[in-house]
Amino acid sequence: MLAPTPIGRLLLHLANLLVIAFLLLPIAAVTLGSLQAERTLQADTRALIPPEWTLDNFRVIFSGGEQRGAIFEQVTYLPDNVKKIRYAFQNSAVIAISVTLLTLTMGSLSAWTIARLGYRWTRWLVNASLLARFVPVLTLMIPLYVAFRQLGLLNSVVGVIVALTGFLLPYAILILAPYFDQIPKELEDSARIDGCSRFGAFWRVSLPLAAPALASCGALVFIISWNELLIPLILVNKAEFMTVPVVINSLVGDVHVFFNLMMAICLLALLPSVILVLLLQRFVVAGLQVGAVKG
Amino acid sequence: MAAVVESRRRGRELAAGRLAVVMNLPTLLTMALVLAYPIGYAAWLSFHRVGPAQLRRGEFPWTGLDNYVRLFSDPLFLLALKNTFVFVTIVVVAELVLAVAIGLLIDQQRIWTSRITRVLILLPYAIPPIANGLIWSFIYSFQFGFLNRILFTVGVIDAPVNWAGHPETALYAVTVPYIWRTLPFAVLLVHAALQGIGRELHEAAAVDGATAWQRFRYVTLPLLVPILVVILVLRTSFAFTVFEEIRAITQGGPGDATWVAAWYSYKKAFEPPNDIGLGAASAWVLALIVGALAILYVKTIYRRIH
């Protein structure tokens, strides 16, 4: 861009401050809320910065409701979901990591055949993936519930993993196939001349070269499966098998859980994907741009 | 010698066609189980009576178009459709305008605050939608909310405002959290498109005496049109299925002011009296609307980009 005038620069800085304030507003709200007691929230309903701070919300969460700090002394009842939230974080981690690994494995196998072997039906898989990305999760929910009920896959971590993997495979194909396509074919050809099989050329040559695309795809798949509510919500109703978003959903409208505790849970829930996005920023951006323009 | 090695290798390895089938088998099976079969099954269920009693017995009696007739004669569904259209229109228009504005803003190399915005713009993408909804219901809270606290501090209001609890403002109130969460996607696409526009064009226009506005209007904007169409189609079809923010902030209320299509399907199917057939029918109507947009996207826009 051309050099802006001093007034132009000032206006641009102001515009940036406005956007930054908007982006950080929910982060500020969830952080401030999680560090307060119900009492301080209710005492002054106009103050922006609370007069007192406390870590009791986190103490209750980490101890599974055992350690009630000063602010929960009067509380006689805590919902089971909150006491068992440790399981929810475990389940969410197991599910997000398994789905990421499965999706990357199956997705790169398919994406490579699409880019390299180029049959009519493998190329058709790209169109199917494009269309599949538009299928509303909600349309899938009802038949998945009925089908998984008949298969006995309700209330199981495996059921959620299978459903999420199938739902996210189209994303993986759309991100990985164009990348395999860009890798020079000559590299695989020379490996084949040295005695590699077709699969060996994929496994030893192309797959390592696709590392950046695998990182993009893995980051996006992890974030989406960590954040997903509807699929586990429909497939699971026991506290032992719930994921973090399902527990958060169960707190909506629960009169026994006040905003301060809810905000502490929300803050813990958003930390893993926020950290991942900030660490893998470059890859997330690339994945979103490829996956979007191409799907 | 080379021929011997060649023939031995050919003997051991799968033919390319078979290899393609084997390597795609896991993907095809999973996508068939989780995507293809459920979509077909949803359509099948929408023509049958499916409720708790039928689920127990495992028999779903054929009811023809009954579910669809009940759906389109239900004023609540028509209201949910109307609310969805209002919601989608506001969200998509706001996101297009904001994406262009913020995209241009983070493209400023000489403004150091733009670099901070460029990093932070990704943040909303990472937030679990249901947590986003709950955080905003805290922000909007009548008594304890941060929005009212901010407005008190700035001196804009004297009495607390019930942003999400008032029938007049509730639907608008739920658009803001949704826009907040889904904006990064649109901004990143505009940002990528802007980087593809050569600086020479701008400099040439400036030499010819074009003002900043004219350079935007006649150089940048026309070049952004293709990506804006992509954003328009993608955001429209995804916003049609908004669920989490509605669930966390208003639960369709106050009254029925924020019932949207996805919320209708969910409530009908998964809350008593569990009219799963009706829920499947409404979910299929939703899928058809989105599907029409998807086909439009694949047939016209996606092909042209490649």
Side-chain angles (χ1 to χ4, degrees):
Chain A
M1 283 284 158
L2 305 156
T5 59
I7 294 173
R9 296 178 75 92
L10 186 69
L11 287 176
L12 287 171
H13 282 305
L14 281 177
N16 270 313
L17 285 182
L18 211 66
V19 176
I20 292 170
F22 178 59
L23 290 174
L24 289 181
L25 170 68
I27 308 296
V30 69
T31 313
L32 287 173
S34 69
L35 294 171
Q36 288 181 59
E38 185 173 339
R39 194 161 33 81
T40 31
L41 271 176
Q42 280 170 325
D44 186 346
T45 57
R46 299 196 171 195
L48 209 49
I49 304 298
E52 287 172 49
W53 306 83
T54 174
L55 286 172
D56 283 356
N57 296 310
F58 295 102
R59 210 163 285 149
V60 165
I61 296 170
F62 286 125
S63 66
E66 291 294 311
Q67 279 183 38
R68 310 267 171 108
I71 71 170
F72 289 100
E73 259 172 13
Q74 313 291 322
V75 178
T76 48
Y77 174 78
L78 261 186
D80 210 28
N81 293 349
V82 175
K83 288 189 197 157
K84 290 186 176 165
I85 195 143
R86 201 175 331 155
Y87 293 106
F89 276 93
Q90 258 171 38
N91 291 335
S92 275
V94 168
I95 289 170
I97 292 171
S98 320
V99 170
T100 307
L101 294 177
L102 280 172
T103 310
L104 282 182
T105 312
M106 290 153 74
S108 46
L109 287 173
S110 287
W112 181 80
T113 61
I114 293 164
R116 277 293 181 269
L117 303 179
Y119 290 99
R120 187 187 291 259
W121 67 271
T122 55
R123 263 173 290 153
W124 171 85
L125 204 56
V126 176
N127 280 347
S129 299
L130 263 169
L131 286 177
R133 267 208 54 191
F134 284 87
V135 175
V137 188
L138 207 97
T139 312
L140 299 176
M141 279 355 308
I142 294 167
L144 267 186
Y145 172 80
V146 178
F148 276 36
R149 194 178 191 272
Q150 285 159 350
L151 292 172
L153 279 173
L154 290 186
N155 274 320
S156 87
V157 171
V158 175
V160 179
I161 292 174
V162 171
L164 271 171
T165 305
F167 182 66
L168 289 172
L169 270 170
Y171 285 75
I173 290 174
L174 292 172
I175 293 174
L176 296 174
Y179 202 89
F180 279 117
D181 212 23
Q182 281 170 17
I183 297 174
K185 205 176 179 314
E186 292 72 35
L187 291 173
E188 278 182 27
D189 290 341
S190 58
R192 302 244 312 139
I193 290 167
D194 292 341
C196 255
S197 63
R198 274 198 189 82
F199 184 80
F202 156 71
W203 185 251
R204 295 207 187 89
V205 179
S206 291
L207 197 58
L209 287 173
L214 293 173
S216 291
C217 179
L220 290 188
V221 169
F222 182 92
I223 291 166
I224 298 174
S225 48
W226 176 271
N227 290 350
E228 172 61 30
L229 169 69
L230 270 171
I231 289 176
L233 175 67
I234 303 302
L235 298 182
V236 160
N237 63 21
K238 292 200 177 110
E240 297 91 288
F241 303 109
M242 283 182 181
T243 62
V244 181
V246 178
V247 172
I248 292 178
N249 177 70
S250 73
L251 301 180
V252 175
D254 189 325
V255 290
H256 299 290
V257 183
F258 202 68
F259 272 125
N260 48 336
L261 187 56
M262 284 192 207
M263 288 305 110
I265 295 173
C266 283
L267 188 65
L268 293 175
L270 60 83
L271 274 183
S273 34
V274 165
I275 291 172
L276 195 72
V277 155
L278 293 180
L279 285 180
L280 297 178
Q281 198 189 344
R282 197 160 55 86
F283 298 107
V284 173
V285 171
L288 276 174
Q289 286 168 348
V290 175
V293 176
K294 306 186 176 174
Chain B
M1 185 62 199
V4 175
V5 173
E6 178 85 348
S7 69
R8 200 185 296 157
R9 200 186 59 202
R10 283 281 146 78
R12 260 188 294 137
E13 91 173 338
L14 284 174
R18 255 190 219 164
L19 185 68
V21 174
V22 172
M23 285 176 77
N24 275 304
L25 215 53
T27 301
L28 290 175
L29 284 177
T30 317
M31 278 171 65
L33 175 73
V34 180
L35 290 167
Y37 168 69
I39 294 169
Y41 197 26
W44 188 86
L45 286 172
S46 72
F47 294 107
H48 294 75
R49 181 185 309 286
V50 189
Q54 286 79 18
L55 274 176
R56 267 193 301 277
R57 259 180 273 133
E59 286 168 23
F60 309 124
W62 168 261
T63 56
L65 285 172
D66 179 55
N67 286 325
Y68 289 94
V69 171
R70 283 192 297 140
L71 187 65
F72 282 101
S73 53
D74 184 355
L76 195 54
F77 178 70
L78 299 176
L79 176 72
L81 269 187
K82 188 190 135 237
N83 284 341
T84 313
F85 277 104
V86 173
F87 179 89
V88 170
T89 311
I90 296 173
V91 164
V92 173
V93 170
E95 285 198 17
L96 283 172
V97 173
L98 286 172
V100 172
I102 298 176
L104 287 170
L105 195 60
I106 61 178
D107 204 36
Q108 301 289 326
Q109 308 295 334
R110 293 201 177 89
I111 306 290
W112 63 272
T113 44
S114 291
R115 281 204 293 274
I116 304 177
T117 311
R118 206 182 306 153
V119 173
L120 290 179
I121 192 72
L122 256 184
L123 202 61
Y125 181 76
I127 311 295
I130 186 70
N132 184 41
L134 205 54
I135 293 168
W136 281 87
S137 82
F138 177 51
I139 293 175
Y140 283 144
S141 160
F142 180 52
Q143 284 174 287
F144 323 108
F146 267 80
L147 185 58
N148 283 337
R149 282 172 202 263
I150 292 169
L151 296 176
F152 276 131
T153 311
V154 183
V156 180
I157 55 170
D158 304 318
V161 179
N162 195 357
W163 297 100
H166 199 284
E168 302 274 301
T169 53
L171 190 59
Y172 305 110
V174 288
T175 60
V176 179
Y178 187 81
I179 293 169
W180 184 83
R181 175 166 66 81
T182 53
L183 194 57
F185 181 74
V187 174
L188 288 177
L189 291 193
V190 171
H191 183 56
L194 281 175
Q195 286 176 327
I197 300 175
R199 305 208 176 278
E200 309 77 41
L201 273 177
H202 278 270
E203 275 148 23
V207 170
D208 290 343
T211 63
W213 168 254
Q214 285 171 329
R215 289 201 303 272
F216 170 72
R217 172 66 187 80
Y218 297 105
V219 179
T220 311
L221 198 55
L223 291 169
L224 282 181
V225 166
I227 198 70
L228 293 181
V229 176
V230 171
I231 295 173
L232 176 76
V233 176
L234 287 176
R235 290 297 341 140
T236 303
S237 52
F238 294 141
F240 258 105
T241 62
V242 56
F243 176 79
E244 283 92 340
E245 277 82 1
I246 300 283
R247 159 76 186 139
I249 300 171
T250 64
Q251 296 99 53
D256 45 24
T258 54
W259 274 67
V260 291
W263 181 249
Y264 182 93
S265 309
Y266 173 80
K267 289 284 276 190
K268 290 295 170 188
F270 294 108
E271 279 187 14
N274 297 82
D275 196 338
I276 292 178
L278 186 67
S282 61
W284 240 92
V285 171
L286 194 62
L288 283 181
I289 297 174
V290 176
L293 282 165
I295 289 168
L296 179 84
Y297 178 73
V298 175
K299 287 263 178 218
T300 62
I301 304 161
Y302 183 78
R303 289 277 156 71
R304 209 176 305 155
I305 287 168
H306 291 269

